Amino acid sequence: MILAFDTELFIQRLVDGLSKGSIYALLALALVVVFRGSGQLNFAQGEMALVTTYIGSTLTLAGWPVWLTVLACAVTGFVMGGAVERFLIRPMEAKSPFAVVVVAIGLFLGFNSISAAVWGVDARDFPSLFPNQPDDFFNLLGANVRWERVGIFFVLLGIGALLYLLFTRTKIGLAMRAVANTHESAQLVGIRVGRVLVFGWGLAAAIGAVAGCLIAPSAGLSLSMMFGLFIYGSAAATLGGLDSPLGAVVAGLALGLLDSMIIGYVDIIGGDLLLTVILGLILLVLLVKPSGLFGSTRVERV
Amino acid sequence: MAALPLNLKQGSAVHRAIQAVVVLALVLFALRAATTWNRSGLSLLTDALIIAIAVTGLNLLVGFTGQISIGHSAFFGIGAYTTAILVDTYGWSPGWTFFPSVAVCFVVGVVVGLPALRLKGIYLALVTLALAVAFPSLLNRYESVTGGAEGIKGLRYLPPSWTGLEGRSDLAVWFFWLALGLLLITSLMARNLLRSRVGRSMIATRDNETAAEVMGVNIALVKTGVFGVSAAMAGLAGSVFALKLTLVDPTLFTLILSIELLVGMVIGGAALLWGPIVGSLVLVYGRDLAKSIGEDNNIDGLGGIMFGVLLIVLMFAAPQGLVGLWRRLRIKVVRILPKPPVSAAPPPTPSVDSHEPALVAAPADPDQ
Amino acid sequence: MRRTRWMAVALAGALVLAACGDDDDEGSGSDTTAAATTAAPDTTAGGADTTAAPDTTSAPDTTEAPDTAAFEVDTEACEDPDAATAPIEGDIKVGTSLPLSGGPAVLFAPYADGFKAFWEAYNAQGGVGGTQKVDYTIKDDQYTANLTKTAVDEMIDEGVQVFTGIIGSPNNAAVRDDLNALCYPQMFASTGANAWGDIESYPWTSGLLVPYSVESAAFHDFALTQKPEGGTAAIFYVNNEFGQAYVKSFKKVAEEEGLIEIVAEEKIDAADSGAPTAQMTNLVAADPDFILAIPLGAQCIAFMKELGNARAANAEFTPVVYQTATCANPIFFGGAGAGADGVFTSSNLLPEVYSTPNPASPGPKAYADALRAVKGDANPTNTAAAAGYLAAEFTAHVLEEAQKSDTGITRASVINAMRNINFQSSLTQPGYPAIMNAEDGFIGEVTQITQWSAAESIFKPVGDIISFEGETLYTD
């Protein structure tokens, strides 16, 4: 227990929380894009990002600069996401929502195992897009803020803003919303449903790929890198409202802050009970607001 | 000979004869397995049967009532730990622990079902996710009760003397019959539940909740009640699991298990009565096969790739599950016409044999 | 509804039947061994006992045939005493169950490679006594106890006669009862738990690695050499069986000696793959003299990177940091960059094994060659591979001793030979043979503190070898 309130420590924890939250928010954004664009959840999102990050690792080992690698990963992710939607998810969707879930689970397992088969089960290093040496930080009101974390935060804001513009200002964004609602109505209005779906999944996978490249430098690239984070991302997406990019960002950052504050100030809840407590809090919020903080409530027509 | 499909009246002599043959075949198979199979083969089959008990419960909740749960690993684990704690700390005789296990899980299930009254879809999934994640973490924490991360070891459940089985060497056989028996009873209970008014309420809730409510279904009771029953079944399975393995520890009851149960349900066929059994068999044997493939060669992860591919292929081949596929093929050959209802309603038309699960918008008939 | 009621009654009746007539009087099976510090996968470095033994060339061992007076297993208690004493001729079937896939595989897949490597080379040289080869089976249990049971059951049905090197505490526990009742040797359980020393209740089971209690005690003693007056310590650990076992042992030793005070405990969930920034902030705030870190797998890298960040940002934060031996792996330490520099860990292997991929001395060289023969791109400095090799090497020695006994190789003679072992492995520090006898059920009580040098990318031994031989540090 802290007797005197240590402001510096508090700010440090704030900074820690925002940096953790940025990652959660990025993953949440990817899930929101998929949901908003197709009404589905991509359960294999984390593992797809894992594969693209491993591909990135190979590229960087071959000498590619990091920024180019991240770009390449994003493109690869886009193609993968689109292909998965077109060839594996869409045929199933018409037949049974359960089948979609199992296909996603199969993909989850498959992608993780492919990573094991091609790159082995070891953990490895991954270079960072931003300066990443131990002394690459600056001081802010007594807290030490790492450039890498700041970079990730701004990437998050950038992607969040772009998505917001996409959804509200562009035709394709509107089309995505229509498609997510009902395919038939969208088709009637002349929307090429197939293209929109592919785009949605591809975009989400691209975001996931970028997230993977940002996570790997500090977490270490290994087969288990994405699973826990994916759960956090899902929790954040749900808390924020599954169809709201703003919600994803806010919720993701909030979860990161909660993490940091709980570990810092609530001794009884250790790092191991963190997810439990967080999910419990989210549950309470949902009971009050069943579609999440910023989600749109669906009106049920009788 | 009449042209295909052959129409049989439900309850007719021919129908009963076919059913009797099927039952006889299954009984003979079970006897053969119990007497001639080796330990590991029988043990693997028993594992599948245990999982099937849990999946039966899950199926009632997800398949027939339209709720979501990725938290059944916790119910499974609560059952397992209830048994373990009673046997280890309080010296209970293992067989008696099934009762409290089922009761505890029922209560917890009902409590977990309460948020379901307010949340739907992914949001409900999150609640159950929380349960699945919390359970192992809490087990790790509360060591004095649960043995913490080490778990509880040394649970022994020797066959009772009336079975005529001898102690340790017949353990595999004992657990086989135990699991089989409990599975049969659980499945029959599920079937009867579905045929009853409660069952129809469940299906109505799944198909159109608002309409069901308008028609007088007590949604709250149905949802929480089915959550409870579903959890109780998973708990029963967990108890048997714990006794068969002789130990429990937190790593056995994680989110992964919940996902496996869901996969088992879908592979077999959600909302189909015998789906859980078929699905569990495929799950357990598929996983075993994938592991063997992985063991036999140098490529890491090959087993996982095969199993992932298997799941995807299965879904493409049988999106309604294997039992659903079987049904669709069988209907082309033999159709069972249900008896007309006792009330004064007009007799149904012959094309009433609609066994598709509700996802295709026809009411599911739990009859097979 | 009536039918449902009948069904419920039937179910209740069935359950009652199942409950009645239970003739299990053995006190509902509470675990008879002191399982206090059973731990998770400690399979790699820091583990095995380090007796210097001749390597894979089947040079005759210098010890004589086992002294059967020292320990002899009671085969009358077996379900099938004849099977336990039947001679094993021809190829000896040895089996193990390891996590080849699934989460923990990242740590243990190399163990399987090392295990395989030894047997391949050993068989190429003729096998046991030059006359009997070893037919080894490796099955995958994904570190899940019920799959271990399945694997062992299958292997029993496939005719495996000797089990060795199974990884994981719950995994070994799941099969221990059966194997002891059926009288199959369950040798060299690869986990650092203390529970494997219970000779009385489980005569057919033994451990291999340095128990976690030894590692904790070793670090404690080492810490006192750095600061004889004692100081404050913080612990960062993964909250599962593995982490908890270390923590318990360390706390016990610290309490007994009274010189080191634990001021902070930070936990991390096993599935948490993110950087432990928040925990590190807490550790910095606590400003301890020593940090004991017990992360799992890739968390080792993340932790050390955070450590590096914290040290760079806080000039006064200069703790002595110790990482669990399961992380002691150049891939993890190298991957962590500057953060890993100066971090301590331990190992009981010869320095050459963990410091260079191309060792020169005969034992390590034979190991490196054998490993590359089964997997070309394998890294011999990965101590998990060495642990697997070690488990196999020990097993081979035991088989050789059993072969020399009056009865030749039988399941019973194998266990007798194991219990009377006195063996110096080719990969461990000379002068500290692995010894067990009728009283001492522990095989690995020796270790060496090492320190990572980021500049040179190797572990360097520090100080003297620490030995707790004979002092069974049974924490309960």
Side-chain angles (χ1 to χ4, degrees), chain C residues 25-42:
Chain C
D25 308 324
E26 291 167 54
S28 32
S30 29
D31 192 12
T32 49
T33 59
T37 60
T38 51
D42 177 8

Side-chain angles (χ1 to χ4, degrees), chain C residues 160-175:
Chain C
V160 167
Q161 295 134 338
V162 168
F163 292 93
T164 183
I166 296 176
I167 290 179
S169 182
N171 312 72
N172 277 288
V175 297

Side-chain angles (χ1 to χ4, degrees), chain C residues 40-313:
Chain C
D42 177 8
T43 56
T44 62
D49 191 301
T50 63
T51 53
D55 55 351
T56 54
T57 58
S58 34
D61 195 51
T62 46
T63 60
E64 306 120 7
D67 177 8
T68 50
F71 175 87
E72 192 154 344
V73 73
D74 175 16
T75 53
E76 289 313 307
C78 300
E79 273 208 8
D80 185 356
D82 295 328
T85 48
I88 298 174
E89 272 139 31
D91 283 356
I92 306 156
K93 292 181 113 132
V94 168
T96 186
S97 174
L98 307 171
L100 299 177
S101 63
V106 62
L107 283 178
F108 306 126
Y111 180 102
D113 294 332
F115 189 80
K116 220 191 226 184
F118 178 87
W119 292 122
E120 290 295 317
Y122 189 70
N123 283 337
Q125 284 155 2
V128 182
T131 54
Q132 288 178 272
K133 296 208 178 164
V134 168
D135 178 7
Y136 65 90
T137 309
I138 303 177
K139 283 198 185 270
D140 183 6
D141 63 10
Q142 302 186 332
Y143 199 68
T144 310
N146 57 323
L147 295 179
T148 311
K149 196 152 204 223
T150 309
V152 167
D153 279 345
E154 281 171 7
M155 286 192 273
I156 290 179
D157 286 336
E158 287 165 12
V160 167
Q161 295 134 338
V162 168
F163 292 93
T164 183
I166 296 176
I167 290 179
S169 182
N171 312 72
N172 277 288
V175 297
R176 182 175 53 175
D177 279 358
D178 275 354
L179 291 178
N180 273 273
L182 296 170
C183 295
Y184 279 89
Q186 182 187 5
M187 305 200 287
F188 307 129
S190 285
T191 146
N194 277 359
W196 314 109
D198 188 343
I199 306 179
E200 279 214 20
S201 321
Y202 299 102
W204 293 80
T205 306
S206 90
L208 171 66
L209 305 183
V210 173
Y212 298 141
S213 53
V214 170
E215 209 184 321
S216 299
F219 172 57
H220 180 273
D221 289 357
F222 171 73
L224 289 179
T225 64
Q226 304 288 299
K227 268 195 146 195
E229 72 279 15
T232 55
I235 313 179
F236 170 81
Y237 67 105
V238 58
N239 195 10
N240 61 9
E241 194 168 13
F242 167 55
Q244 279 183 11
Y246 268 99
V247 173
K248 275 195 206 149
S249 308
F250 186 75
K251 281 186 174 172
K252 187 154 199 254
V253 176
E255 225 176 81
E256 278 168 12
E257 301 283 322
L259 288 171
I260 294 189
E261 185 202 347
I262 298 175
V263 295
E265 271 183 53
E266 293 300 319
K267 305 187 197 55
I268 187 171
D269 187 66
D272 187 346
S273 52
T277 321
Q279 287 97 331
M280 185 58 70
T281 302
N282 280 1
L283 289 175
V284 171
D287 196 22
D289 299 310
F290 308 105
I291 294 183
L292 175 63
I294 309 141
L296 184 67
Q299 291 171 349
C300 299
I301 299 183
F303 174 79
M304 286 191 286
K305 283 194 168 185
E306 276 309 305
L307 180 67
N309 295 343
R311 287 202 287 218

Side-chain angles (χ1 to χ4, degrees), chain B residues 228-287:
Chain B
V229 170
S230 174
M233 289 180 177
L236 180 64
S239 288
V240 183
F241 176 82
L243 293 171
K244 177 173 181 286
L245 187 58
T246 73
L247 61 87
V248 287
D249 80 61
T251 61
L252 296 168
F253 309 109
T254 63
L255 183 61
I256 309 278
L257 175 63
S258 272
I259 295 173
E260 284 181 348
L261 293 175
L262 213 55
V263 169
M265 182 190 86
V266 178
I267 295 180
L272 294 171
L273 196 62
W274 303 110
I277 299 174
V278 170
S280 303
L281 285 169
V282 172
L283 181 71
V284 169
Y285 281 95
R287 185 176 59 186

Side-chain angles (χ1 to χ4, degrees), chain B residues 40 87 150 154 156-157 168 295, chain C residues 26 28-29 36 38 140 157 178:
Chain B
S40 59
V87 168
E150 277 171 38
R156 245 165 247 159
Y157 189 17
R168 169 163 292 287
E295 281 157 11
Chain C
E26 291 167 54
S28 32
T38 51
D140 183 6
D157 286 336
D178 275 354

Side-chain angles (χ1 to χ4, degrees), chain B:
Chain B
M1 196 65 175
L4 293 178
L6 209 54
N7 286 333
L8 295 174
K9 284 226 189 80
Q10 181 179 31
S12 70
V14 185
H15 183 215
R16 291 291 174 223
I18 296 182
Q19 284 184 328
V21 167
V22 170
V23 168
L24 188 64
L26 289 174
V27 168
L28 285 177
F29 177 78
L31 282 171
R32 190 176 165 76
T35 49
T36 61
W37 283 20
N38 60 21
R39 274 167 50 115
S40 59
L42 200 56
S43 182
L44 197 61
L45 181 57
T46 309
D47 285 342
L49 297 175
I50 294 175
I51 297 277
I53 298 175
V55 177
T56 302
L58 187 64
N59 194 16
L60 283 177
L61 181 68
V62 178
F64 285 102
T65 317
Q67 304 303 295
I68 299 195
S69 172
I70 42 176
H72 266 55
S73 55
F75 299 128
F76 191 84
I78 292 175
Y81 264 87
T82 306
T83 291
I85 293 172
L86 289 174
V87 168
D88 187 66
T89 316
Y90 297 100
W92 278 46
S93 180
W96 292 105
T97 63
F98 292 136
F99 296 98
S101 168
V102 164
V104 168
C105 288
F106 181 82
V107 171
V108 177
V110 169
V111 170
V112 172
L114 291 172
L117 302 177
R118 193 133 162 82
L119 302 172
K120 293 199 198 350
I122 308 294
Y123 303 95
L124 176 60
L126 198 84
V127 176
T128 56
L129 171 71
L131 183 65
V133 164
F135 184 64
S137 299
L138 293 172
L139 287 175
N140 266 330
R141 267 305 177 101
Y142 295 104
E143 267 190 73
S144 47
V145 178
T146 66
E150 277 171 38
I152 303 176
K153 305 191 198 350
L155 309 169
R156 245 165 247 159
Y157 189 17
L158 295 174
S161 36
W162 57 261
T163 55
L165 293 171
E166 276 300 307
R168 169 163 292 287
S169 45
D170 282 338
L171 266 181
V173 177
W174 163 234
F175 275 106
F176 170 69
W177 287 118
L178 181 65
L180 184 62
L182 291 176
L183 175 63
L184 278 175
I185 295 178
T186 310
S187 300
L188 289 173
M189 279 192 79
R191 184 173 84 157
N192 290 334
L193 186 68
L194 289 167
R195 277 190 183 160
S196 70
R197 219 182 66 177
V198 177
R200 290 194 289 275
S201 304
M202 285 160 60
I203 296 172
T205 307
R206 173 192 69 193
D207 289 347
N208 190 331
E209 201 171 305
T210 324
E213 209 165 5
V214 162
M215 291 200 285
V217 172
N218 186 340
I219 302 283
L221 208 58
V222 168
K223 281 189 180 177
T224 52
V226 176
F227 246 105
V229 170
S230 174
M233 289 180 177
L236 180 64
S239 288
V240 183
F241 176 82
L243 293 171
K244 177 173 181 286
L245 187 58
T246 73
L247 61 87
V248 287
D249 80 61
T251 61
L252 296 168
F253 309 109
T254 63
L255 183 61
I256 309 278
L257 175 63
S258 272
I259 295 173
E260 284 181 348
L261 293 175
L262 213 55
V263 169
M265 182 190 86
V266 178
I267 295 180
L272 294 171
L273 196 62
W274 303 110
I277 299 174
V278 170
S280 303
L281 285 169
V282 172
L283 181 71
V284 169
Y285 281 95
R287 185 176 59 186
D288 195 61
L289 182 64
K291 271 194 322 109
S292 315
I293 294 178
E295 281 157 11
D296 285 340
N297 61 67
N298 249 335
I299 307 177
D300 299 319
L302 189 63
I305 295 176
M306 308 244 75
F307 194 65
V309 168
L310 174 71
L311 288 180
I312 296 176
V313 166
L314 269 176
M315 284 300 103
F316 270 80
Q320 320 293 10
L322 288 171
V323 176
L325 181 66
W326 156 254
R327 270 238 190 112
R328 283 225 300 245
L329 297 175
R330 191 209 71 189
I331 285 180
K332 302 204 162 101
V333 178
V334 173
R335 271 208 229 148
I336 314 286
L337 304 177
K339 287 193 276 232
V342 181
S343 68
T349 55
S351 60
V352 159
D353 195 71
S354 52
H355 291 208
E356 287 87 57
L359 303 162
V360 191
D365 183 348
D367 252 316
Q368 281 271 6

